[in-house]
C-alpha cells in the first residue's frame, strides 16, 4: 500500500532508549514498509505495542521493476523507539522503511549479486 505523500511504510519497538533506533512520540502512528524482488518467504522483523514480531510473509503489493511490498501500520500510546528488517536467502533486492506520523524517518536498501539480500531501517 502507498502511504501519505505517495510513500510506502512499516512497524515499532517500545522501551527506553535504543541506540540507532527511530524515535516515536506518544500516540505516534508508524508505518513499516517492506519490499523485495521475491514475493514469498520473506522474513520481516518489527515492533508493535506488544513487542518484537518475527514473521515469514508473502509480500502482496506488486510494484514496478518486479518488486513486491507490504505495509504494517501500528500506533504507540507511549513514547518509543523502533526499527525493522527484511531478509530472504534468494533475494537480490531488499528494502525497509519506517514512517512516523507520515514522515520518512529511516530506510535501508540492499542489492545483492549473489542472493541473500537484507535491509534494516533504524
Amino acid at each position: 500500500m502507498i502511504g501519505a505523500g505517495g510513500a510506502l511504510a512499516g512497524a515499532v519497538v517500545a522501551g527506553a532508549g535504543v541506540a540507532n533506533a527511530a524515535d516515536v512520540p506518544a500516540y505516534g502512528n508508524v508505518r513499516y514498509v517492506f519490499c523485495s524482488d521475491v514475493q514469498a518467504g520473506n522474513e520481516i522483523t518489527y515492533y508493535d505495542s506488544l513487542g518484537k514480531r518475527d514473521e515469514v510473509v508473502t509480500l502482496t503489493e506488486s510494484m514496478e521493476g518486479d518488486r513486491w511490498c507490504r505495509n504494517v501500520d501500528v500506533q504507540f500510546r507511549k513514547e518509543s523507539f523502533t526499527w525493522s528488517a527484511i531478509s530472504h536467502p534468494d533475494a537480490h533486492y531488499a528494502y525497509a522503511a519506517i514512517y512516523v506520523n507520515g514522515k520518512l524517518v529511516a530506510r535501508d536498501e540492499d542489492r545483492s549479486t549473489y542472493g541473500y539480500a537484507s535491509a534494516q531501517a533504524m
Side-chain angles (χ1 to χ4, degrees):
M1 297 183 160
I2 303 299
L8 300 174
V12 178
V13 174
V18 176
N20 298 322
D23 292 325
V24 180
Y27 297 96
N29 293 306
V30 175
R31 171 172 273 187
Y32 297 99
V33 177
F34 302 99
C35 299
S36 173
D37 62 337
V38 177
Q39 185 178 13
N42 289 278
E43 183 176 342
I44 62 172
T45 302
Y46 63 92
Y47 288 80
D48 63 16
S49 60
L50 301 176
K52 185 177 179 184
R53 305 290 302 250
D54 288 311
E55 301 174 3
V56 176
V57 301
T58 295
L59 305 176
T60 56
E61 185 167 336
S62 178
M63 305 300 286
E64 289 183 36
D66 296 327
R67 304 261 161 76
W68 298 90
C69 295
R70 179 178 182 157
N71 300 329
V72 176
D73 294 317
V74 176
Q75 183 183 54
F76 286 79
R77 292 182 187 214
K78 296 180 180 180
E79 185 176 330
S80 301
F81 298 89
T82 186
W83 65 271
S84 65
I86 183 171
S87 63
H88 193 289
D90 297 324
H92 296 278
Y93 176 80
Y95 175 84
I98 300 170
Y99 291 79
V100 176
N101 294 331
K103 179 181 177 188
L104 177 64
V105 297
R107 67 176 291 279
D108 187 34
E109 185 175 44
D110 182 32
R111 296 173 193 272
S112 170
T113 304
Y114 303 104
Y116 197 83
S118 67
Q120 285 190 338
M122 300 165 60

